[in-house]
Amino acid sequence: MALTGIEIFKLLPKTNCKECGEPTCLAFAMKLAASKAELSACPHVSEEAKAKLTEAAAPPIIPVTIGVGGRALKVGGETVMFRHEKRFENPPGLALLISDGMADAEIESRLKKFNDLQYERIGLILRPDLIAVRDDSGDATRFAAVVSKVKQSTDGGIILMSSNPDTMAAGLKVCADRKPLLYAASEENSDRMADLAKGSSCPLAVKASSVEKLAELTTKLTSAGVKEMVIDSGSRSLRQAFEDQVIIRGAALTKKFRPLGFPTIVFPAEMTNDPMKEAVIASIFVAKYGGIIVLSDFQGESLFPLLVERLNIYTDPQRPLATKEGIYEIGKPDENSPVLITSNFSLTYFIVSGEIETSRVPSYLLVKDTEGLSVVTAWAAGKFVADAIAPFVKKCGIGDKVKHHKLVIPGYAAAESGGLEEELPGWEIQVGPRDGSNIPAYLKTWKP
Ligand code: SF4
């Protein structure tokens, strides 16, 4: 909340009735200022004060949700220009373009790609988020039929792209329950597009030919009662589009300029015909400051790096990326498979699990919670030592899964082997390679 505790206190009833759970209104105001309480906890706050406090509490870039259920995508809600200041909040949505002018077979193939291209990393599923259906046929019936096909084939979010309000209405009729993004309101059609967005409670994309005109249009639409908007400055050259992203983010955050306080949508799909260049352009907008990034097609070799980049940029820089503690099965291990242990620094996990996969020796990988520290750092900090590892090995249940009771520890933690044999009676501690790249050769000669 942008207001101080004292400023908030001035807007509260000052009766100290305690119904909010706090002993005084001042105590409640301080908690509100620190975002540790919700305004709704006070039943006596006036409507006028509520409006002022809600306005002050709104993030400078409003969050917008597209879609419903588990695949709903939230974009916007950002509060900083640079990731090191705090963290970026909501990763940009990656969208695949489908034209209603495409042949049905091509549409089917794109839908299959959208559903198939997903990757599991550190317990997370990395996948694209949205399908943008573009009206190129000029035929509302065809547009609605393609939207219907998309809706039936995937639970991903949907962007309806048409400048014709009648065609938009036809597409919306088919998928309003999926809360699609309506792209786009412009100077020519904004009144009717606003009615469609308000009538269906769907977010509305707004497109103009410059940042200035965009601000005029969002101001008009806000007055008309449209709340959830996504903005497109209309630029289709990398240089101008990138500049617009920086201007929009800066105006919203540092100038508190509400007409530009919305997530953006960008179209690498319309900036080049070269697929590799398109992926590079998309990667620039992942870093700064695309809210939704629309691609002309998906290929594994370009989508995967974008998903990983997005994951990395949108993690909290103040907290190391960590993998969940537990037993990870790689391949289909059985009671005679090797058991290795490592720390829960994600990069370590990626490397070790990748090398085990490369070896093609089904194995159990125990991941010990070291608060996201690598093996050497965790060992030096006393978090990957015999006293910490042994209770985890006993508790995790790996002893019931294998007959041999041999535990392979990282070469860098070799000093812990004696301590572990004392702490884990019945277990043989084996010192594995220091370097992950030596794991495949090591596992190929390992015997239970
Ligand atoms: Fe004050 Fe409202 Fe809390 Fe009562 S419920 S103490 S009026 S803030």
Side-chain angles (χ1 to χ4, degrees), residues 314-333:
Y314 280 78
T315 52
D316 187 341
Q318 293 168 24
R319 285 172 48 193
L321 198 55
T323 305
K324 205 167 156 220
E325 182 175 271
I327 303 172
Y328 289 76
E329 296 187 0
I330 300 171
K332 288 200 170 103

Side-chain angles (χ1 to χ4, degrees), residues 9 12-29 32 39 41-45:
F9 173 66
L12 294 177
K14 305 185 198 69
T15 58
N16 298 334
C17 72
K18 302 184 177 56
E19 284 182 48
C20 58
E22 298 301 324
T24 62
C25 292
L26 181 60
F28 182 64
L32 270 183
L39 184 60
C42 171
H44 305 298
V45 68

Side-chain angles (χ1 to χ4, degrees), residues 258-400:
R258 289 278 182 207
L260 294 178
F262 301 97
T264 61
I265 182 167
V266 288
F267 289 84
E270 296 177 9
M271 294 182 192
T272 177
N273 292 322
D274 177 345
M276 200 44 74
K277 206 167 163 190
E278 186 180 325
V280 173
I281 293 171
S283 75
I284 292 168
F285 292 122
V286 168
K288 281 182 191 294
Y289 293 113
I292 295 170
I293 300 168
V294 183
L295 295 160
S296 64
D297 200 359
F298 284 166
Q299 302 299 338
E301 64 269 25
S302 53
L303 180 65
F304 178 68
L306 288 174
L307 291 167
V308 173
E309 180 198 3
R310 181 175 74 168
L311 176 69
N312 287 339
I313 299 268
Y314 280 78
T315 52
D316 187 341
Q318 293 168 24
R319 285 172 48 193
L321 198 55
T323 305
K324 205 167 156 220
E325 182 175 271
I327 303 172
Y328 289 76
E329 296 187 0
I330 300 171
K332 288 200 170 103
D334 59 24
E335 57 191 16
N336 294 313
S337 297
V339 179
L340 299 91
I341 188 164
T342 192
S343 78
N344 79 330
F345 177 42
S346 284
L347 190 55
T348 304
Y349 169 79
F350 274 136
I351 291 170
V352 174
S353 60
E355 294 295 350
I356 296 172
E357 274 174 33
T358 304
S359 76
R360 297 182 187 276
V361 178
S363 305
Y364 292 104
L365 178 59
L366 307 187
V367 173
K368 164 82 183 81
D369 181 2
T370 53
E371 297 172 21
L373 299 178
S374 67
V375 168
V376 177
T377 318
W379 175 73
K383 296 180 194 301
F384 198 74
V385 293
D387 288 354
I389 295 170
F392 162 62
V393 173
K394 286 179 191 162
K395 205 174 67 185
C396 72
I398 189 66
D400 299 330

Side-chain angles (χ1 to χ4, degrees), residues 28-321:
F28 182 64
M30 292 302 174
K31 285 214 162 174
L32 270 183
S35 301
K36 289 181 178 162
E38 296 285 332
L39 184 60
S40 55
C42 171
H44 305 298
V45 68
S46 71
E47 286 305 317
E48 189 193 349
K50 206 182 277 178
K52 279 189 189 162
L53 288 166
T54 307
E55 165 73 12
I61 297 176
I62 68 150
V64 172
T65 302
I66 301 156
V68 292
R71 294 291 301 270
L73 175 76
K74 190 172 169 188
V75 291
E78 302 301 334
T79 57
V80 293
M81 290 293 290
F82 304 105
R83 182 176 171 266
H84 61 260
E85 292 175 62
K86 192 179 165 204
R87 55 167 291 169
F88 291 164
E89 295 293 332
N90 295 305
L94 296 176
L96 171 64
L97 194 63
I98 286 182
S99 162
D100 70 352
M102 287 172 177
D104 287 349
E106 172 64 12
I107 292 173
E108 300 251 351
S109 134
R110 283 176 178 242
L111 288 168
K112 184 168 181 335
K113 240 188 264 185
F114 180 84
N115 289 327
D116 290 352
L117 289 174
Q118 49 179 284
Y119 311 86
E120 188 182 346
R121 280 291 178 275
I122 51 162
L124 300 170
I125 302 293
L126 308 185
R127 60 186 170 193
D129 313 277
L130 300 150
I131 292 187
V133 186
R134 190 172 66 196
D135 160 33
D136 289 327
S137 67
D139 175 351
T141 309
R142 170 68 181 165
F143 183 67
V146 175
V147 172
S148 174
K149 175 88 190 150
V150 168
K151 182 184 169 187
Q152 285 162 21
S153 307
T154 169
D155 59 353
I158 300 172
I159 304 174
L160 300 178
M161 296 180 67
S162 178
S163 55
N164 182 334
D166 293 329
T167 305
M168 183 65 83
L172 185 56
K173 199 170 167 195
V174 173
C175 69
D177 57 333
R178 293 275 289 269
K179 203 183 173 195
L181 172 67
L182 313 185
Y183 180 96
S186 61
E187 279 179 37
E188 294 74 38
N189 66 15
S190 64
D191 292 343
R192 286 199 60 201
M193 287 294 189
D195 288 343
L196 287 173
K198 284 190 291 178
S200 59
S201 302
C202 289
L204 180 63
V206 184
K207 183 182 177 187
S209 54
S210 68
V211 172
E212 292 76 15
K213 289 194 170 145
L214 196 52
E216 285 169 21
L217 204 47
T218 57
T219 304
K220 179 182 164 195
L221 288 161
T222 302
S223 307
V226 180
K227 291 195 170 66
E228 287 193 295
M229 284 184 263
V230 172
I231 55 180
D232 175 6
S233 67
S235 303
R236 294 296 183 265
S237 75
L238 171 60
R239 183 188 173 132
Q240 190 57 52
F242 180 73
E243 215 172 284
D244 290 351
Q245 297 305 304
V246 177
I247 289 169
I248 289 168
R249 175 68 63 98
L253 294 192
T254 55
K255 308 272 186 230
K256 306 277 182 276
F257 186 59
R258 289 278 182 207
L260 294 178
F262 301 97
T264 61
I265 182 167
V266 288
F267 289 84
E270 296 177 9
M271 294 182 192
T272 177
N273 292 322
D274 177 345
M276 200 44 74
K277 206 167 163 190
E278 186 180 325
V280 173
I281 293 171
S283 75
I284 292 168
F285 292 122
V286 168
K288 281 182 191 294
Y289 293 113
I292 295 170
I293 300 168
V294 183
L295 295 160
S296 64
D297 200 359
F298 284 166
Q299 302 299 338
E301 64 269 25
S302 53
L303 180 65
F304 178 68
L306 288 174
L307 291 167
V308 173
E309 180 198 3
R310 181 175 74 168
L311 176 69
N312 287 339
I313 299 268
Y314 280 78
T315 52
D316 187 341
Q318 293 168 24
R319 285 172 48 193
L321 198 55

